[in-house]
Amino acid sequence: MNGDSAAAVVLPLHARVEGVGRGYRRIWQLAWPVSISMSTITMLTLFNLFWIGHLGTAAVAAVSLGANILFIVFGISDVVFTGTVAVVARRVGQGHRAEAFDASLHAVCLGAALGLVVAVVGHAAAPTIVSFFDAGAEVEATAVAYLRIMFICQIFLYVSTALRGAYQAAGDTRTPMLVNVGVVLVNAVLDPFFIFAPGEISVGGVPVGWLGLGVPGAAIAAVLSAALGLVLFVTVSLLLGRPFAWPAHRRVRLVPRQFWQMLRIGTPASVSMIARPLSTFLLLKVIASFGTAAIAAFGIALRSFSVNFIPYSGIQAAVATLVGQNLGAGNVREAERVVHRGLAVTTGLGIFFCLVYYTCSERIILAFDHEPAVVAAGVPFLKLMALSFLFSGPMFPMVSAMNGAGDTKPPMITAFVANWPIKLPLAYVLALPLAYGIDGVWFGMLVSIVFEAIVVFWWYRRGAWKSKRV
């Protein structure tokens, strides 16, 4: 690369970062596409649950069980996503476009490798994982069939996650949003045709249905949609040269050190991401002991919580990206301001969602299942979790700041302690030995969230993330 081309790589990007992150406007520009993308995923999840609900409570319980397992599995992709955002955003802030491209290419390769491993291992281990819960023969058989197909989907999702991280780190959250909206629309259209037989159900008086595969049909629709989405994502990236054009006159090589750097940053973030759902996964053993209605109530409640993560996801993305870029540009004070603005927004959102979920808890459960036992188990859970939003809301931008800076170990340690030594034993003891029933599980979860928020605040205030080198 000659001197002129090197200058063209560095100077415009560095100049652009000088004003990055100033004011709420820049946060909004990055946040709204991520929120839109998350909202489409949430709507698809809720519509999927609506269709599955027509197949009965056992089907809802099976998909709820499978969804919790998949949430844990997808947490492994945070190795790629967080590592990509932290490294690429720093290179963007430093003005090194060619190095940002190299990091993005390594992220895609790492995503493909991890996705393949997860798909193979998960497909083989699905029966063993599901049998752990003793959820009943019907629920277990349906959950295994659903999971085995959905594990194939992880290959496409992991690569797309790597691309999404690279785009976000470069400051482009709109392109991933457009691709994701297309994927969700395709999935939403395919779902009823794959789930139901011809004429089995109608929409607006028009009968829909084709293959009649039931719960596995929903999984097949998801795999086809994810594959199509990845093809679209890669095609757009190559044709338009996004998020970074392939460097001219530069030989691209895969360097083990690049993979190690992303793994070193991303693995703690992935552990943090997995710690909560994995502990909840084990907690499902206790929840399942209270019957199918308790499992269904838990699944419905968690699906409904995905609504409040729509705005949070946008703020998280904006804070992580802008912190990484500003630290790369050497602007520590602006990085702090970004976090403070994020805190102001998420605290307000936490208060709002607390009021909504607390006052509308019964209506939320009834929207998906009218069985009295499901309502009785789900309403107390929603009310207790509503209170937790007052603590979890402010926690999001602080964790995002540390992740965006590449300082991912403190959130990992905090998440582990909150969910394993605290949540699991406390929920078990309250539910069974002390005989508080399913409500004891819900209370144990609330205590762990409050503890985690307090410790995250302490780590953030220490300020080690400001001087983290990437």
Side-chain angles (χ1 to χ4, degrees):
M1 183 181 295
N2 59 38
D4 291 339
S5 61
V9 167
V10 176
L11 294 180
L13 253 171
H14 186 69
R16 191 187 313 165
V17 173
E18 292 296 329
V20 164
R22 292 181 180 175
Y24 289 93
R25 181 178 178 182
R26 182 57 181 154
I27 293 178
W28 168 251
Q29 289 173 340
L30 287 173
W32 75 260
V34 177
S35 295
I36 292 295
S37 185
M38 180 60 69
S39 69
T40 58
I41 295 174
T42 299
M43 293 305 298
L44 176 64
T45 301
L46 295 177
F47 275 123
N48 183 264
L49 187 63
F50 172 78
W51 293 123
I52 296 299
H54 287 77
L55 301 177
T57 299
V60 173
V63 173
S64 298
L65 184 61
N68 279 282
I69 295 170
L70 289 170
F71 188 72
I72 297 168
V73 169
F74 192 69
I76 301 173
S77 71
D78 223 42
V79 170
V80 180
F81 182 75
T82 302
T84 302
V85 171
V87 175
V88 176
R90 284 293 183 103
R91 303 300 170 254
V92 170
Q94 293 163 351
H96 299 155
R97 182 183 290 270
E99 292 182 11
F101 171 83
D102 286 348
S104 302
L105 185 62
H106 282 75
V108 169
C109 294
L110 183 60
L114 281 177
L116 182 60
V117 170
V118 167
V120 172
V121 174
H123 188 276
T128 303
I129 297 171
V130 172
S131 65
F132 171 79
F133 297 100
D134 296 325
E138 183 181 3
V139 173
E140 288 184 11
T142 304
V144 168
Y146 176 77
L147 277 173
R148 281 189 150 164
I149 299 171
M150 287 300 296
F151 272 119
I152 299 172
C153 193
Q154 303 309 304
I155 301 172
F156 309 113
L157 293 178
Y158 273 51
V159 178
S160 295
T161 296
L163 283 169
R164 179 168 57 88
Y167 272 86
Q168 178 180 309
D172 179 5
T173 53
R174 296 188 185 187
T175 301
M177 174 200 70
L178 293 174
V179 172
N180 189 70
V181 168
V183 171
V184 168
L185 288 176
V186 170
N187 200 343
V189 171
L190 291 179
D191 253 351
F193 290 96
F194 278 69
I195 294 172
F196 303 106
E200 187 176 352
I201 195 170
S202 61
V203 178
V206 179
V208 297
W210 179 31
L211 296 179
L213 298 175
V215 170
I220 294 173
V223 172
L224 294 176
S225 302
L228 178 62
L230 179 57
V231 171
L232 178 61
F233 216 164
V234 171
T235 302
V236 169
S237 300
L238 293 176
L239 292 179
L240 302 182
R242 295 179 180 174
F244 309 102
W246 197 284
H249 311 298
R250 178 183 175 89
R251 183 181 177 185
V252 177
R253 294 183 304 147
L254 296 180
V255 181
R257 182 178 57 83
Q258 287 262 35
F259 291 116
W260 168 246
Q261 185 180 40
M262 289 187 177
L263 287 170
R264 179 174 53 82
I265 295 172
T267 299
S270 179
V271 173
S272 300
M273 185 79 171
I274 294 172
R276 277 180 226 91
L278 184 57
S279 63
T280 303
F281 172 80
L282 296 177
L283 206 57
L284 269 173
K285 181 76 171 177
V286 180
I287 295 172
S289 69
F290 293 98
T292 301
I295 299 175
F298 184 63
I300 291 170
L302 289 187
R303 293 285 180 105
S304 71
F305 291 150
S306 60
V307 174
N308 71 338
F309 284 109
I310 292 173
Y312 288 142
S313 64
I315 300 300
Q316 281 184 294
V319 170
T321 301
L322 295 176
V323 164
Q325 290 183 351
N326 278 293
L327 291 180
N331 196 344
V332 177
R333 292 192 64 182
E334 185 57 38
E336 289 180 305
R337 293 190 189 100
V338 168
V339 183
H340 295 162
R341 292 170 187 133
L343 276 169
V345 175
T346 56
T347 299
L349 287 171
I351 295 172
F352 171 75
F353 283 122
C354 175
L355 294 174
V356 170
Y357 278 88
Y358 195 89
T359 57
C360 302
S361 55
E362 185 173 353
R363 295 178 183 177
I364 292 172
I365 300 295
L366 286 171
F368 299 99
D369 199 317
H370 285 78
E371 187 175 324
V374 176
V375 177
V379 169
F381 182 39
L382 282 176
K383 287 188 173 182
L384 282 175
M385 290 301 101
L387 299 177
S388 75
F389 297 151
L390 299 175
F391 298 88
S392 61
M395 182 170 60
F396 285 117
M398 291 185 286
V399 171
S400 295
M402 289 185 275
N403 285 343
D407 188 22
T408 52
K409 289 183 180 178
M412 174 192 71
I413 295 170
T414 307
F416 176 81
V417 173
N419 287 277
W420 290 81
I422 293 180
K423 181 173 75 177
L424 279 176
L426 181 61
Y428 173 78
V429 169
L430 288 174
L432 297 176
L434 296 183
Y436 283 97
I438 194 66
D439 289 347
V441 176
W442 310 150
F443 187 76
M445 296 179 69
L446 172 63
V447 171
S448 73
I449 293 171
V450 173
F451 171 84
E452 185 175 359
I454 293 172
V455 177
V456 162
F457 177 75
W458 176 77
W459 276 111
Y460 171 79
R461 290 289 296 172
R462 289 190 65 191
W465 60 275
K466 302 175 192 176
S467 56
K468 185 71 176 179
R469 291 185 176 275
V470 174

